[in-house]
Amino acid sequence: MPRQSKAVERSLPERVLVVDNGAYTIKAGFANAVPDPDTDCHVVPNCIAKSRDNRVWIGAQMEKCSDYGDMAFRRPVQKGFLVNWEAEKEIWEKTFLAKDAEVKCDPHDTCLLLTEAPNCPGALQSHCDQMVFEEFEFAAYRRCVGPSLNAFNDIANLVEDPPRTSDLNSLPVECVLVIDSGYSHTTVTPVYRGRPIQQAIRRLEMGGKFLTNYMKEMLSVRQMDVRDETYLINQMKEDTCFVSSNFRNDLESIGKGPLSAGRKAPRRDGDIVVDFVLPDYSTRMRGELRPHDPTTMAMRTKLGAVANADGVKEYIMALGNERFTVPELLFNPSDIGLKQAGLPETVMQSMSGLPPGLWPSMLSNILVIGGNARFEGFLARLSSEIRQLAPAECPVRVAVAPDPIKSTWLGGARLAGNKVALKELLITRQEYQEYGGAWLLKRFAPGGAS
């Protein structure tokens, strides 16, 4: 009891920095009464990059880079877990402490709300706690599972439920199933009243990085060597790929097999095959998508490059089935020999770890976040396949967050806006120094003291 009294009387800084420390980008910003992700949340590349002129770019400096060709990347987050604090420390210092920092703060006068991936190893959690309190010296801190913060967002509006009353807006939604398909991996996390249900969390070792690497291999074999063009191919994937509603028919429609009798392809060849003009990082900084021109491609095959109407040489790649076979791996990893279930099956595996009484509430409140949620056709395909697998008596409603990249940050900012609830969650640096790292691990563990 004396311990609880002391926690109530402690004073905490007013400023709360919310950091969603993703594998591809860091989403960071200060919480306020009505957080606006467009103005309050800053997206910073979570990497250290080295360009072909041997210049090193750290975090937000990437925005000033003008040549991404042959760029090598070093990322602190691997397989969803922060494993390289040496690199992360440099990025955080540029982002939070430098004179020209995008989200400049004084850690001694700032509370930190930091996300982590589900089922993070204890050794990595302990190292993270040490860096926050001993290296950066934040005044107070809370480490929490990223997907669980989405329970504080307006889920009712997304799934077309009646609006919540004003007295409930600061509380997490009762049940939500969060599918986070990001750069490193994809997780399915059932969240009950703001807390993840640990035994039902499932993970699919498939994310944006894997898809980009797969696309690089396909194009390097079929057209030209792009194995060192990670940045370019990642951009190409984002701009051109889509999730097919009928994979077999789309594959057959561009010449990979005869159409079955009586069946029609949902898309014509001309709808699928497109030309992608590669950037030269001089006159064109970003790749350009154009309708497919077979004549131009025939000239490119012979000459290597094609001169446009202004006489400027352009290098063009024709993209066909690569556009939908790459994101198809999220639904059928076995296509390339991975012994894992696809995303719809992973959702049902997660359901099997829950009491049957929670199934209707979870399946009717499925929220999809992460960069892969932006693929055209992703939501419709996922919703359709989950309906086929779910019990008939359970309604299935799947929604994509308005901004799937910043959704977790927004949920954390809304939690931080509830000062009473946040005060119970935060641990001060003084408490860490008094009770130690092992005590902190227990406090932050699922089911630990709030």
Side-chain angles (χ1 to χ4, degrees):
M1 288 300 293
R3 173 74 190 87
Q4 294 177 349
S5 299
K6 182 178 178 181
V8 172
E9 295 170 0
R10 63 186 177 168
S11 61
L12 295 170
E14 287 296 319
R15 298 190 86 189
V16 180
L17 176 63
V18 181
V19 178
D20 179 16
N21 207 77
Y24 192 70
T25 56
I26 297 172
K27 283 69 68 177
F30 294 103
N32 53 49
V34 185
D36 182 355
D38 293 330
T39 57
D40 299 331
C41 180
H42 301 265
V43 180
V44 178
N46 194 9
C47 65
I48 298 176
K50 187 176 183 181
S51 56
R52 51 187 162 193
D53 60 357
N54 289 326
R55 183 172 179 179
V56 176
W57 305 85
I58 302 174
Q61 292 179 344
M62 287 283 293
E63 298 173 359
K64 302 176 182 178
C65 179
S66 59
D67 186 355
Y68 297 97
D70 296 334
M71 183 167 278
F73 292 90
R74 182 185 179 195
R75 298 192 182 276
V77 178
Q78 298 291 334
K79 297 187 180 297
F81 304 124
L82 208 172
V83 297
N84 187 344
W85 265 105
E86 180 184 358
E88 194 67 85
K89 181 173 178 289
E90 289 190 59
I91 298 169
W92 277 29
E93 286 175 346
K94 289 287 185 182
T95 306
F96 305 133
L97 305 181
K99 291 182 179 179
D100 58 344
E102 288 199 20
V103 193
K104 187 172 178 58
C105 72
D106 177 7
H108 299 98
D109 192 34
T110 305
C111 301
L112 175 65
L113 183 62
L114 179 66
T115 66
E116 66 175 356
N119 297 324
C120 183
L124 297 181
Q125 292 176 326
S126 180
H127 193 192
C128 179
D129 298 340
Q130 292 174 25
M131 292 298 296
V132 168
F133 278 134
E134 298 178 19
E135 187 68 36
F136 288 94
E137 299 183 353
F138 277 94
Y141 158 65
R142 179 73 187 190
R143 171 173 43 78
C144 52
V145 175
S148 65
L149 294 178
N150 288 273
F152 293 88
N153 287 328
D154 189 5
I155 307 297
N157 183 50
L158 291 177
V159 296
E160 300 180 353
D161 272 346
R164 306 174 80 193
T165 57
S166 57
D167 58 322
L168 295 178
N169 284 337
S170 61
L171 300 177
V173 69
E174 185 174 36
C175 290
V176 61
L177 183 69
V178 181
I179 300 174
D180 185 357
S181 188
Y183 186 68
S184 290
H185 63 296
T186 299
T187 56
V188 180
T189 308
V191 182
Y192 181 73
R193 294 183 177 176
R195 292 178 178 266
I197 302 178
Q198 196 67 26
Q199 72 273 14
I201 296 175
R202 295 294 183 269
R203 175 182 170 116
L204 174 62
E205 300 292 345
M206 185 68 63
K209 179 180 179 180
F210 195 107
L211 301 183
T212 298
N213 289 338
Y214 182 58
M215 193 170 192
K216 282 196 300 183
E217 292 181 12
M218 294 178 70
L219 295 174
S220 295
V221 170
R222 297 177 179 182
Q223 300 195 45
M224 65 176 70
D225 189 355
V226 291
R227 289 174 294 178
D228 294 330
E229 300 291 348
T230 301
Y231 185 90
L232 168 63
I233 303 305
N234 191 72
Q235 178 202 107
M236 183 187 295
K237 176 196 70 180
E238 293 175 350
D239 291 351
T240 66
C241 285
F242 66 90
V243 175
S244 172
S245 60
N246 193 323
F247 180 74
R248 182 182 176 188
N249 278 7
D250 279 345
L251 199 60
E252 290 172 340
S253 72
I254 55 175
K256 290 299 181 181
L259 280 173
S260 303
R263 295 178 65 190
K264 295 182 180 180
R267 296 173 185 255
R268 294 175 290 115
D269 183 20
D271 296 330
I272 295 178
V273 182
V274 296
D275 291 342
F276 190 84
V277 184
L278 304 182
D280 57 13
Y281 300 115
S282 176
T283 59
R284 178 180 288 107
M285 303 305 299
R286 186 179 179 89
E288 180 183 339
L289 198 62
R290 294 178 183 171
H292 180 56
D293 184 350
T295 305
T296 301
M297 290 309 300
M299 294 174 60
R300 187 200 67 83
T301 303
K302 295 178 181 179
L303 305 177
V306 178
N308 62 15
D310 299 325
V312 179
K313 287 187 176 181
E314 296 178 334
Y315 288 87
I316 302 174
M317 299 182 77
L319 302 178
N321 64 19
E322 298 91 350
R323 295 185 62 200
F324 59 89
T325 55
V326 169
E328 182 68 19
L329 296 182
L330 290 167
F331 294 85
N332 289 293
S334 59
D335 285 355
I336 57 171
L338 289 183
K339 296 181 179 179
Q340 280 194 289
L343 184 51
E345 291 82 5
T346 303
V347 169
M348 297 314 299
Q349 289 176 4
S350 175
M351 288 294 97
S352 67
L354 297 174
L358 287 179
W359 283 40
S361 297
M362 289 294 181
L363 289 172
S364 62
N365 291 281
I366 300 177
L367 178 67
V368 185
I369 62 173
N372 296 325
R374 299 189 295 185
F375 282 130
E376 176 192 347
F378 181 88
L379 178 63
R381 171 80 175 273
L382 180 63
S383 179
S384 173
E385 295 200 4
I386 292 178
R387 282 194 181 94
Q388 295 174 26
L389 298 173
E393 64 273 14
C394 293
V396 174
R397 296 183 301 183
V398 186
V400 173
D403 189 335
I405 303 297
K406 298 180 180 179
S407 180
T408 296
W409 178 90
L410 180 59
R414 285 175 169 163
L415 168 61
N418 186 340
K419 300 299 183 182
V420 176
L422 184 66
K423 193 171 184 178
E424 295 178 355
L425 296 174
L426 290 172
I427 300 297
T428 65
R429 184 165 179 263
Q430 181 181 358
E431 289 173 322
Y432 170 77
Q433 292 174 330
E434 181 177 352
Y435 296 101
W439 171 83
L440 185 61
L441 282 176
K442 292 179 181 179
R443 290 275 295 186
F444 286 170
S450 296

